[in-house]
Amino acid sequence: MLELADVTVRLGGVTVLDSVRGRLGPGVTLLTGPSGAGKTTLLRTLAGLIPPSAGEVRWWGQYITAQLKAYHRRLGYLPQRPATYPEMTVSGFLDYLSALKALPPALAARRRDELLEALGLSARAHSALRELSEGQRRLVGIVQALLGDPEVLLLDEPLESLDGDSRARVLQLCHRPGRVTLLATHRLELVPPGLVAHWSLDAGRLAVES
């Protein structure tokens, strides 16, 4: 269980999130809202990258600020604009990130290959990132978020630039028993119905719909 307990975030004197409350249990939750609503800030706060100005984020009842290293080992995160290294190959880039995540090399290589296969990228494993389409680079970002088989998965606009088949594959990978997934998008039409819950964010205020 991931919980936002009256979380407020102020950036540059502006209140971006205002006393946000919500609980995320296992399953996929959709986070929608217009551009500028605070979706990216909410995901960065849940990822422990932005400390709340007030309130707390809790993981199974414990503040994530008190267990940040342990929490990050259980976290997979895709930023809206992930950093890339254009000259690196897909495999090289993923191996580099696996090392940063301290994943055992043999396990990381097996997980990398499984995910590339699942997302239809095996043939591009030795291609430079600069040679990929925007959608393919987005899929590589999703692979890196899933490398450690995370318990918490936070994805910021993961479905942009993807075709229908790729979107379906991504959503299938998100569904793992026990995993908490929050998927942010400003395009509701890209996501099929039937998700566990729907959060709507507007002007820093959250509405939770079951």
Side-chain angles (χ1 to χ4, degrees), residues 120-142:
L121 286 176
S122 294
R124 305 309 302 268
H126 302 293
S127 299
L129 289 168
R130 60 178 169 76
E131 297 172 351
L132 304 185
S133 68
E134 184 177 350
Q136 288 171 331
R137 287 194 296 272
R138 177 65 56 175
L139 290 174
V140 171
I142 292 165

Side-chain angles (χ1 to χ4, degrees), residues 59-101:
W59 171 241
W60 290 111
Q62 303 295 317
Y63 297 158
I64 65 169
T65 50
Q67 53 171 337
L68 205 52
K69 287 186 178 180
Y71 176 67
H72 280 165
R73 286 196 294 270
R74 294 167 170 81
L75 174 70
Y77 173 56
L78 173 71
Q80 187 175 10
R81 295 180 180 85
T84 58
Y85 301 85
E87 301 305 318
M88 294 184 74
T89 66
V90 171
S91 289
F93 174 66
L94 294 172
D95 290 346
Y96 169 66
L97 292 177
S98 294
L100 292 181
K101 295 172 187 278

Side-chain angles (χ1 to χ4, degrees), residues 183-197:
L183 189 159
T185 181
H186 69 284
R187 297 182 60 190
L188 188 57
E189 73 275 10
L190 296 182
V191 186
L195 296 180
V196 173

Side-chain angles (χ1 to χ4, degrees), residues 30-40 43 80-81 134 138 155-161 183-191 198-201:
L30 186 65
L31 174 64
T32 63
S35 296
K39 298 188 301 297
T40 291
L43 264 68
Q80 187 175 10
R81 295 180 180 85
E134 184 177 350
R138 177 65 56 175
L155 303 175
D156 199 347
E157 300 288 355
L159 307 180
E160 286 293 304
S161 306
L183 189 159
T185 181
H186 69 284
R187 297 182 60 190
L188 188 57
E189 73 275 10
L190 296 182
V191 186
H198 178 197
W199 285 10
S200 177
L201 192 65

